[in-house]
Amino acid sequence: MAIATATGIHHRSYGAELRLRHTRAEYFRLALMVALLLLAPAILDNYWLGIANTILIAVIGAVGLNILVGFTGQISLGQGGFLAVGAYTSVILSERGGMPVPISILFAVIMTATIGAFFGLPALRLKGLYLAIATLASQEIIMFVVRRWEWLTEGKGFIEVSRLSVLGFEIERKSFETQWYWLLLAITIAVVVIARNLFRTTLGRSFMAVRDQDIAAQAIGVNITRAKVTAFAVSSGFVGLAGALTAHYTETVTWERFTLDVSILYLAMIIVGGLGSIAGAVYGAIFIGLLPALLTELVDVLSSSMPFLAEQLPAIRNAVFGVAIIVFLLVEPRGLDRIWSRLKDYVRFWPFRY
């Protein structure tokens, strides 16, 4: 009865208030999630494990975009271009420069963060639709350079990437997806923890102050210029990491992987998952990552009775993506994260409504 009639979570110290988790139920869900992640390679085949690896990379990029859009309130349509910067930088440094892959990925993150900060300068004077158009211009500029600058691909239009090798350890073909899963899982968990703790710092709180009301934030001493430019840099750094990992995972770098469609896809992830929530970025990446695979499975099941569905599968995917975004915007603008929170509250307070 004490659990059912609890009126809230009460803290008796600052340390208790600053904990990431406060109840036994939260620790139980964390343990359950860890168990599922550890058992995934034993449960999933290579096809679904490959999808899981793609989702893990998407989580990193979605977290980065949510830092900018959800927590700082600065719209961006240039994620595809920043993914390309991370991918090309890491591959060129490792393949042509002979640099160890971890170091090349680090340089790719720094390079993408620098370019992101540069393209974030218009945010100092632009807002809303005008800022979105400015970031769209960054996407087009980066794509123009990638497609036209023959030095990047040595005139081939693409770059072949060697199998990942770190300190003498090389990914094996027979266990390719499994080994990549463990590597990507470790990196993704680290990124989520870093992002989650970022907003417990002064810098993260300045991002949220700019989002809520930049004039009021400036009045209380927040450096608006530094906050906005830093938000673009931090966000782009995470996206650059996702781009570098994509390049080494797919072992091929080509501009078709980083078009405007990819930028819109990442924006859809954070809208569906929930703006201003690290967990929402994770939920959105999982939802958008699983949706094409589940649609394909559904079409395969129905193709015997409705063969025209297989021919229209790309159009069906686009339509479902659009409908999903519209439904979330109308029904629950705060996304899957808010739906999950309401579900937890319902279970916690049942049978009472409030």
Side-chain angles (χ1 to χ4, degrees):
M1 181 62 68
I3 296 176
T5 59
T7 58
I9 300 172
H10 306 285
H11 308 287
R12 297 187 178 183
S13 67
Y14 287 112
E17 185 177 1
L18 291 174
R19 291 174 187 164
L20 291 177
R21 287 170 175 80
H22 305 97
T23 65
R24 292 180 180 178
E26 290 177 328
Y27 282 104
F28 174 77
R29 289 194 296 268
L30 176 62
L32 182 61
M33 181 183 66
V34 170
L36 290 175
L37 291 174
L38 294 178
L39 290 174
I43 299 173
L44 304 177
D45 57 21
N46 282 337
Y47 171 74
W48 288 103
L49 206 55
I51 293 175
N53 290 336
T54 304
I55 290 174
L56 289 173
I57 296 175
V59 167
I60 299 173
V63 167
L65 181 59
N66 215 353
I67 290 174
L68 182 65
V69 180
F71 285 96
T72 317
Q74 307 298 299
I75 188 66
S76 175
L77 294 176
Q79 300 308 108
F82 298 137
L83 286 167
V85 172
Y88 280 94
T89 301
S90 180
V91 168
I92 290 175
L93 290 177
S94 60
E95 295 293 318
R96 301 182 194 173
M99 187 177 292
V101 173
I103 305 301
S104 71
I105 292 178
L106 178 60
F107 271 95
V109 171
I110 296 173
M111 175 64 74
T112 313
T114 303
I115 293 178
F118 172 76
F119 281 113
L121 292 176
L124 302 178
R125 291 185 174 273
L126 302 178
K127 294 181 181 180
L129 179 62
Y130 299 102
L131 180 58
I133 297 301
T135 57
L136 178 61
S138 70
Q139 165 77 25
E140 296 302 323
I141 291 171
I142 294 173
M143 283 296 97
F144 178 83
V145 172
V146 167
R147 296 174 63 179
R148 300 287 181 172
W149 193 10
E150 294 187 356
W151 176 84
L152 291 177
T153 61
E154 297 179 328
K156 296 185 295 184
F158 64 93
I159 303 177
E160 294 182 357
V161 186
S162 303
R163 186 65 49 80
L164 180 66
S165 178
V166 180
L167 299 176
F169 171 77
E170 183 174 336
I171 298 291
E172 300 177 359
R173 182 75 262 175
K174 61 180 181 180
S175 56
F176 179 87
E177 299 293 354
T178 302
Q179 291 179 340
W180 263 108
Y181 174 81
W182 293 119
L183 178 61
L184 291 174
L185 179 63
I187 296 174
T188 302
I189 290 175
V191 166
V192 170
V193 171
I194 291 172
R196 181 75 182 273
N197 284 278
L198 173 64
F199 296 98
R200 292 149 57 90
T201 65
T202 302
L203 178 63
R205 294 181 187 279
S206 70
F207 291 169
M208 291 186 286
V210 170
R211 175 197 63 189
D212 294 337
Q213 180 53 260
D214 53 354
I215 296 177
Q218 188 173 22
I220 64 174
V222 175
N223 189 322
I224 300 298
T225 300
R226 183 177 63 185
K228 289 184 177 181
V229 174
T230 304
F232 268 93
V234 172
S235 171
S236 301
F238 281 112
V239 176
L241 174 60
L245 292 173
T246 298
H248 291 285
Y249 172 68
T250 59
E251 299 183 352
T252 304
V253 180
T254 177
W255 65 267
E256 286 94 342
R257 297 182 185 275
F258 311 111
T259 59
L260 179 62
D261 292 344
V262 177
S263 299
I264 296 174
L265 192 65
Y266 272 92
L267 196 60
M269 290 180 189
I270 63 173
I271 291 174
V272 170
L275 294 174
S277 168
I278 299 300
V282 177
Y283 302 151
I286 295 173
F287 182 89
I288 298 297
L290 286 178
L291 193 57
L294 295 177
L295 284 175
T296 302
E297 294 289 326
L298 180 61
V299 168
D300 289 341
V301 172
L302 299 177
S303 59
S304 58
S305 58
M306 293 180 286
F308 66 92
L309 290 178
E311 301 176 357
Q312 300 297 325
L313 182 57
I316 293 173
R317 287 177 179 172
N318 292 335
V320 171
F321 278 130
V323 170
I325 294 174
I326 293 173
V327 168
F328 274 98
L329 288 175
L330 293 177
V331 177
E332 184 48 82
R334 296 172 62 181
L336 291 170
D337 181 59
R338 178 57 180 167
I339 294 175
W340 174 237
S341 298
R342 291 170 63 182
L343 180 61
K344 289 187 294 184
D345 290 339
Y346 177 82
V347 172
R348 185 155 58 104
F349 294 123
W350 185 88
F352 305 105
R353 292 190 61 187
Y354 300 103

PDB file of all heavy atoms in Angstrom, residues 149-173:
ATOM      1  N   TRP A 149      35.023  17.092 -55.031  1.00  0.00           N
ATOM      2  CA  TRP A 149      36.453  17.082 -54.742  1.00  0.00           C
ATOM      3  C   TRP A 149      36.981  15.670 -54.969  1.00  0.00           C
ATOM      4  O   TRP A 149      36.868  14.796 -54.118  1.00  0.00           O
ATOM      5  CB  TRP A 149      36.694  17.539 -53.300  1.00  0.00           C
ATOM      6  CG  TRP A 149      38.135  17.864 -53.024  1.00  0.00           C
ATOM      7  CD1 TRP A 149      39.150  17.968 -53.914  1.00  0.00           C
ATOM      8  CD2 TRP A 149      38.703  18.141 -51.738  1.00  0.00           C
ATOM      9  NE1 TRP A 149      40.331  18.295 -53.293  1.00  0.00           N
ATOM     10  CE2 TRP A 149      40.080  18.407 -51.957  1.00  0.00           C
ATOM     11  CE3 TRP A 149      38.185  18.192 -50.444  1.00  0.00           C
ATOM     12  CZ2 TRP A 149      40.952  18.711 -50.907  1.00  0.00           C
ATOM     13  CZ3 TRP A 149      39.040  18.497 -49.400  1.00  0.00           C
ATOM     14  CH2 TRP A 149      40.398  18.752 -49.638  1.00  0.00           C
ATOM     15  N   GLU A 150      37.597  15.452 -56.132  1.00  0.00           N
ATOM     16  CA  GLU A 150      38.035  14.117 -56.518  1.00  0.00           C
ATOM     17  C   GLU A 150      39.153  13.584 -55.639  1.00  0.00           C
ATOM     18  O   GLU A 150      39.368  12.370 -55.555  1.00  0.00           O
ATOM     19  CB  GLU A 150      38.473  14.117 -57.983  1.00  0.00           C
ATOM     20  CG  GLU A 150      37.336  14.390 -58.962  1.00  0.00           C
ATOM     21  CD  GLU A 150      37.771  14.224 -60.391  1.00  0.00           C
ATOM     22  OE1 GLU A 150      38.988  13.967 -60.621  1.00  0.00           O
ATOM     23  OE2 GLU A 150      36.913  14.357 -61.282  1.00  0.00           O
ATOM     24  N   TRP A 151      39.916  14.461 -54.981  1.00  0.00           N
ATOM     25  CA  TRP A 151      41.007  14.005 -54.119  1.00  0.00           C
ATOM     26  C   TRP A 151      40.500  13.119 -52.988  1.00  0.00           C
ATOM     27  O   TRP A 151      41.181  12.184 -52.565  1.00  0.00           O
ATOM     28  CB  TRP A 151      41.745  15.208 -53.530  1.00  0.00           C
ATOM     29  CG  TRP A 151      42.826  14.806 -52.562  1.00  0.00           C
ATOM     30  CD1 TRP A 151      44.109  14.445 -52.864  1.00  0.00           C
ATOM     31  CD2 TRP A 151      42.699  14.714 -51.132  1.00  0.00           C
ATOM     32  NE1 TRP A 151      44.801  14.131 -51.714  1.00  0.00           N
ATOM     33  CE2 TRP A 151      43.962  14.295 -50.639  1.00  0.00           C
ATOM     34  CE3 TRP A 151      41.665  14.962 -50.233  1.00  0.00           C
ATOM     35  CZ2 TRP A 151      44.197  14.109 -49.281  1.00  0.00           C
ATOM     36  CZ3 TRP A 151      41.892  14.772 -48.888  1.00  0.00           C
ATOM     37  CH2 TRP A 151      43.141  14.356 -48.414  1.00  0.00           C
ATOM     38  N   LEU A 152      39.297  13.385 -52.508  1.00  0.00           N
ATOM     39  CA  LEU A 152      38.770  12.607 -51.385  1.00  0.00           C
ATOM     40  C   LEU A 152      38.679  11.128 -51.716  1.00  0.00           C
ATOM     41  O   LEU A 152      39.024  10.273 -50.900  1.00  0.00           O
ATOM     42  CB  LEU A 152      37.391  13.135 -50.989  1.00  0.00           C
ATOM     43  CG  LEU A 152      37.328  14.516 -50.341  1.00  0.00           C
ATOM     44  CD1 LEU A 152      35.886  14.914 -50.083  1.00  0.00           C
ATOM     45  CD2 LEU A 152      38.115  14.533 -49.038  1.00  0.00           C
ATOM     46  N   THR A 153      38.196  10.821 -52.912  1.00  0.00           N
ATOM     47  CA  THR A 153      37.992   9.421 -53.297  1.00  0.00           C
ATOM     48  C   THR A 153      38.962   8.981 -54.387  1.00  0.00           C
ATOM     49  O   THR A 153      38.798   7.890 -54.936  1.00  0.00           O
ATOM     50  CB  THR A 153      36.551   9.218 -53.788  1.00  0.00           C
ATOM     51  OG1 THR A 153      36.332  10.050 -54.937  1.00  0.00           O
ATOM     52  CG2 THR A 153      35.550   9.587 -52.710  1.00  0.00           C
ATOM     53  N   GLU A 154      39.937   9.835 -54.706  1.00  0.00           N
ATOM     54  CA  GLU A 154      40.916   9.544 -55.761  1.00  0.00           C
ATOM     55  C   GLU A 154      40.223   9.261 -57.096  1.00  0.00           C
ATOM     56  O   GLU A 154      40.663   8.422 -57.888  1.00  0.00           O
ATOM     57  CB  GLU A 154      41.802   8.359 -55.363  1.00  0.00           C
ATOM     58  CG  GLU A 154      42.636   8.650 -54.114  1.00  0.00           C
ATOM     59  CD  GLU A 154      43.508   7.477 -53.701  1.00  0.00           C
ATOM     60  OE1 GLU A 154      43.082   6.310 -53.935  1.00  0.00           O
ATOM     61  OE2 GLU A 154      44.590   7.699 -53.144  1.00  0.00           O
ATOM     62  N   GLY A 155      39.134   9.973 -57.332  1.00  0.00           N
ATOM     63  CA  GLY A 155      38.433   9.872 -58.601  1.00  0.00           C
ATOM     64  C   GLY A 155      37.515   8.676 -58.731  1.00  0.00           C
ATOM     65  O   GLY A 155      36.852   8.514 -59.756  1.00  0.00           O
ATOM     66  N   LYS A 156      37.422   7.822 -57.722  1.00  0.00           N
ATOM     67  CA  LYS A 156      36.588   6.612 -57.810  1.00  0.00           C
ATOM     68  C   LYS A 156      35.145   6.851 -57.375  1.00  0.00           C
ATOM     69  O   LYS A 156      34.267   6.042 -57.669  1.00  0.00           O
ATOM     70  CB  LYS A 156      37.197   5.495 -56.966  1.00  0.00           C
ATOM     71  CG  LYS A 156      38.574   5.031 -57.449  1.00  0.00           C
ATOM     72  CD  LYS A 156      39.072   3.846 -56.653  1.00  0.00           C
ATOM     73  CE  LYS A 156      39.320   4.216 -55.195  1.00  0.00           C
ATOM     74  NZ  LYS A 156      39.899   3.092 -54.433  1.00  0.00           N
ATOM     75  N   GLY A 157      34.900   7.898 -56.621  1.00  0.00           N
ATOM     76  CA  GLY A 157      33.553   8.160 -56.137  1.00  0.00           C
ATOM     77  C   GLY A 157      33.245   7.499 -54.818  1.00  0.00           C
ATOM     78  O   GLY A 157      32.198   7.764 -54.220  1.00  0.00           O
ATOM     79  N   PHE A 158      34.112   6.630 -54.354  1.00  0.00           N
ATOM     80  CA  PHE A 158      33.922   5.960 -53.072  1.00  0.00           C
ATOM     81  C   PHE A 158      35.291   5.580 -52.508  1.00  0.00           C
ATOM     82  O   PHE A 158      36.314   5.628 -53.213  1.00  0.00           O
ATOM     83  CB  PHE A 158      33.058   4.701 -53.231  1.00  0.00           C
ATOM     84  CG  PHE A 158      33.695   3.633 -54.077  1.00  0.00           C
ATOM     85  CD1 PHE A 158      34.457   2.620 -53.505  1.00  0.00           C
ATOM     86  CD2 PHE A 158      33.549   3.644 -55.462  1.00  0.00           C
ATOM     87  CE1 PHE A 158      35.058   1.643 -54.281  1.00  0.00           C
ATOM     88  CE2 PHE A 158      34.151   2.680 -56.255  1.00  0.00           C
ATOM     89  CZ  PHE A 158      34.905   1.677 -55.660  1.00  0.00           C
ATOM     90  N   ILE A 159      35.309   5.206 -51.246  1.00  0.00           N
ATOM     91  CA  ILE A 159      36.547   4.775 -50.592  1.00  0.00           C
ATOM     92  C   ILE A 159      36.311   3.411 -49.954  1.00  0.00           C
ATOM     93  O   ILE A 159      35.352   3.239 -49.194  1.00  0.00           O
ATOM     94  CB  ILE A 159      37.004   5.770 -49.504  1.00  0.00           C
ATOM     95  CG1 ILE A 159      37.185   7.171 -50.087  1.00  0.00           C
ATOM     96  CG2 ILE A 159      38.304   5.300 -48.856  1.00  0.00           C
ATOM     97  CD1 ILE A 159      37.558   8.220 -49.046  1.00  0.00           C
ATOM     98  N   GLU A 160      37.159   2.473 -50.281  1.00  0.00           N
ATOM     99  CA  GLU A 160      37.103   1.175 -49.639  1.00  0.00           C
ATOM    100  C   GLU A 160      37.895   1.225 -48.337  1.00  0.00           C
ATOM    101  O   GLU A 160      39.007   1.750 -48.307  1.00  0.00           O
ATOM    102  CB  GLU A 160      37.659   0.089 -50.550  1.00  0.00           C
ATOM    103  CG  GLU A 160      36.827  -0.150 -51.800  1.00  0.00           C
ATOM    104  CD  GLU A 160      37.377  -1.270 -52.654  1.00  0.00           C
ATOM    105  OE1 GLU A 160      38.441  -1.822 -52.294  1.00  0.00           O
ATOM    106  OE2 GLU A 160      36.754  -1.596 -53.675  1.00  0.00           O
ATOM    107  N   VAL A 161      37.322   0.673 -47.282  1.00  0.00           N
ATOM    108  CA  VAL A 161      37.930   0.742 -45.953  1.00  0.00           C
ATOM    109  C   VAL A 161      38.385  -0.647 -45.538  1.00  0.00           C
ATOM    110  O   VAL A 161      37.647  -1.634 -45.699  1.00  0.00           O
ATOM    111  CB  VAL A 161      36.917   1.300 -44.917  1.00  0.00           C
ATOM    112  CG1 VAL A 161      37.599   1.501 -43.568  1.00  0.00           C
ATOM    113  CG2 VAL A 161      36.324   2.608 -45.416  1.00  0.00           C
ATOM    114  N   SER A 162      39.585  -0.718 -44.996  1.00  0.00           N
ATOM    115  CA  SER A 162      40.122  -2.001 -44.539  1.00  0.00           C
ATOM    116  C   SER A 162      39.361  -2.502 -43.326  1.00  0.00           C
ATOM    117  O   SER A 162      38.746  -1.717 -42.583  1.00  0.00           O
ATOM    118  CB  SER A 162      41.611  -1.857 -44.200  1.00  0.00           C
ATOM    119  OG  SER A 162      42.337  -1.387 -45.315  1.00  0.00           O
ATOM    120  N   ARG A 163      39.409  -3.805 -43.127  1.00  0.00           N
ATOM    121  CA  ARG A 163      38.782  -4.400 -41.950  1.00  0.00           C
ATOM    122  C   ARG A 163      39.367  -3.791 -40.674  1.00  0.00           C
ATOM    123  O   ARG A 163      40.566  -3.590 -40.563  1.00  0.00           O
ATOM    124  CB  ARG A 163      39.013  -5.911 -41.976  1.00  0.00           C
ATOM    125  CG  ARG A 163      38.304  -6.723 -40.900  1.00  0.00           C
ATOM    126  CD  ARG A 163      36.808  -6.668 -41.048  1.00  0.00           C
ATOM    127  NE  ARG A 163      36.333  -6.946 -42.373  1.00  0.00           N
ATOM    128  CZ  ARG A 163      36.204  -8.187 -42.890  1.00  0.00           C
ATOM    129  NH1 ARG A 163      36.509  -9.242 -42.182  1.00  0.00           N
ATOM    130  NH2 ARG A 163      35.740  -8.341 -44.111  1.00  0.00           N
ATOM    131  N   LEU A 164      38.511  -3.466 -39.728  1.00  0.00           N
ATOM    132  CA  LEU A 164      38.937  -2.795 -38.507  1.00  0.00           C
ATOM    133  C   LEU A 164      39.967  -3.620 -37.754  1.00  0.00           C
ATOM    134  O   LEU A 164      39.770  -4.809 -37.491  1.00  0.00           O
ATOM    135  CB  LEU A 164      37.727  -2.538 -37.598  1.00  0.00           C
ATOM    136  CG  LEU A 164      38.036  -1.841 -36.269  1.00  0.00           C
ATOM    137  CD1 LEU A 164      38.533  -0.416 -36.514  1.00  0.00           C
ATOM    138  CD2 LEU A 164      36.798  -1.826 -35.373  1.00  0.00           C
ATOM    139  N   SER A 165      41.071  -2.976 -37.405  1.00  0.00           N
ATOM    140  CA  SER A 165      42.145  -3.622 -36.650  1.00  0.00           C
ATOM    141  C   SER A 165      42.658  -2.632 -35.614  1.00  0.00           C
ATOM    142  O   SER A 165      43.036  -1.507 -35.955  1.00  0.00           O
ATOM    143  CB  SER A 165      43.285  -4.048 -37.586  1.00  0.00           C
ATOM    144  OG  SER A 165      44.347  -4.621 -36.861  1.00  0.00           O
ATOM    145  N   VAL A 166      42.637  -3.063 -34.345  1.00  0.00           N
ATOM    146  CA  VAL A 166      43.071  -2.211 -33.236  1.00  0.00           C
ATOM    147  C   VAL A 166      44.047  -2.979 -32.368  1.00  0.00           C
ATOM    148  O   VAL A 166      43.706  -4.049 -31.833  1.00  0.00           O
ATOM    149  CB  VAL A 166      41.867  -1.743 -32.391  1.00  0.00           C
ATOM    150  CG1 VAL A 166      42.337  -0.865 -31.241  1.00  0.00           C
ATOM    151  CG2 VAL A 166      40.857  -1.000 -33.256  1.00  0.00           C
ATOM    152  N   LEU A 167      45.290  -2.471 -32.277  1.00  0.00           N
ATOM    153  CA  LEU A 167      46.325  -3.080 -31.424  1.00  0.00           C
ATOM    154  C   LEU A 167      46.513  -4.562 -31.726  1.00  0.00           C
ATOM    155  O   LEU A 167      46.633  -5.401 -30.830  1.00  0.00           O
ATOM    156  CB  LEU A 167      45.969  -2.884 -29.944  1.00  0.00           C
ATOM    157  CG  LEU A 167      45.854  -1.432 -29.455  1.00  0.00           C
ATOM    158  CD1 LEU A 167      45.414  -1.395 -28.001  1.00  0.00           C
ATOM    159  CD2 LEU A 167      47.172  -0.705 -29.641  1.00  0.00           C
ATOM    160  N   GLY A 168      46.520  -4.895 -33.002  1.00  0.00           N
ATOM    161  CA  GLY A 168      46.728  -6.278 -33.401  1.00  0.00           C
ATOM    162  C   GLY A 168      45.467  -7.122 -33.457  1.00  0.00           C
ATOM    163  O   GLY A 168      45.492  -8.237 -33.994  1.00  0.00           O
ATOM    164  N   PHE A 169      44.369  -6.613 -32.905  1.00  0.00           N
ATOM    165  CA  PHE A 169      43.102  -7.345 -32.953  1.00  0.00           C
ATOM    166  C   PHE A 169      42.323  -6.921 -34.186  1.00  0.00           C
ATOM    167  O   PHE A 169      42.067  -5.732 -34.398  1.00  0.00           O
ATOM    168  CB  PHE A 169      42.270  -7.070 -31.703  1.00  0.00           C
ATOM    169  CG  PHE A 169      40.872  -7.614 -31.773  1.00  0.00           C
ATOM    170  CD1 PHE A 169      40.635  -8.962 -31.584  1.00  0.00           C
ATOM    171  CD2 PHE A 169      39.803  -6.776 -32.051  1.00  0.00           C
ATOM    172  CE1 PHE A 169      39.348  -9.467 -31.667  1.00  0.00           C
ATOM    173  CE2 PHE A 169      38.514  -7.273 -32.130  1.00  0.00           C
ATOM    174  CZ  PHE A 169      38.290  -8.620 -31.938  1.00  0.00           C
ATOM    175  N   GLU A 170      41.942  -7.891 -35.002  1.00  0.00           N
ATOM    176  CA  GLU A 170      41.204  -7.604 -36.232  1.00  0.00           C
ATOM    177  C   GLU A 170      39.850  -8.295 -36.198  1.00  0.00           C
ATOM    178  O   GLU A 170      39.724  -9.438 -35.756  1.00  0.00           O
ATOM    179  CB  GLU A 170      41.993  -8.074 -37.456  1.00  0.00           C
ATOM    180  CG  GLU A 170      41.313  -7.732 -38.777  1.00  0.00           C
ATOM    181  CD  GLU A 170      42.167  -8.081 -39.983  1.00  0.00           C
ATOM    182  OE1 GLU A 170      43.399  -8.151 -39.813  1.00  0.00           O
ATOM    183  OE2 GLU A 170      41.609  -8.285 -41.069  1.00  0.00           O
ATOM    184  N   ILE A 171      38.831  -7.574 -36.661  1.00  0.00           N
ATOM    185  CA  ILE A 171      37.488  -8.142 -36.739  1.00  0.00           C
ATOM    186  C   ILE A 171      37.499  -9.331 -37.699  1.00  0.00           C
ATOM    187  O   ILE A 171      37.991  -9.238 -38.824  1.00  0.00           O
ATOM    188  CB  ILE A 171      36.478  -7.085 -37.222  1.00  0.00           C
ATOM    189  CG1 ILE A 171      36.408  -5.904 -36.238  1.00  0.00           C
ATOM    190  CG2 ILE A 171      35.103  -7.703 -37.411  1.00  0.00           C
ATOM    191  CD1 ILE A 171      35.795  -6.232 -34.909  1.00  0.00           C
ATOM    192  N   GLU A 172      36.955 -10.458 -37.278  1.00  0.00           N
ATOM    193  CA  GLU A 172      36.909 -11.656 -38.105  1.00  0.00           C
ATOM    194  C   GLU A 172      35.621 -11.700 -38.917  1.00  0.00           C
ATOM    195  O   GLU A 172      34.572 -11.277 -38.448  1.00  0.00           O
ATOM    196  CB  GLU A 172      37.011 -12.909 -37.228  1.00  0.00           C
ATOM    197  CG  GLU A 172      38.302 -12.980 -36.418  1.00  0.00           C
ATOM    198  CD  GLU A 172      38.327 -14.189 -35.509  1.00  0.00           C
ATOM    199  OE1 GLU A 172      37.330 -14.948 -35.504  1.00  0.00           O
ATOM    200  OE2 GLU A 172      39.329 -14.392 -34.806  1.00  0.00           O
ATOM    201  N   ARG A 173      35.723 -12.266 -40.129  1.00  0.00           N
ATOM    202  CA  ARG A 173      34.562 -12.330 -40.999  1.00  0.00           C
ATOM    203  C   ARG A 173      33.456 -13.191 -40.415  1.00  0.00           C
ATOM    204  O   ARG A 173      32.271 -12.852 -40.487  1.00  0.00           O
ATOM    205  CB  ARG A 173      34.998 -12.898 -42.350  1.00  0.00           C
ATOM    206  CG  ARG A 173      33.909 -12.983 -43.399  1.00  0.00           C
ATOM    207  CD  ARG A 173      33.568 -11.630 -43.975  1.00  0.00           C
ATOM    208  NE  ARG A 173      32.389 -11.020 -43.371  1.00  0.00           N
ATOM    209  CZ  ARG A 173      31.954  -9.816 -43.648  1.00  0.00           C
ATOM    210  NH1 ARG A 173      32.597  -9.051 -44.495  1.00  0.00           N
ATOM    211  NH2 ARG A 173      30.888  -9.338 -43.059  1.00  0.00           N
TER     212      ARG A 173
END
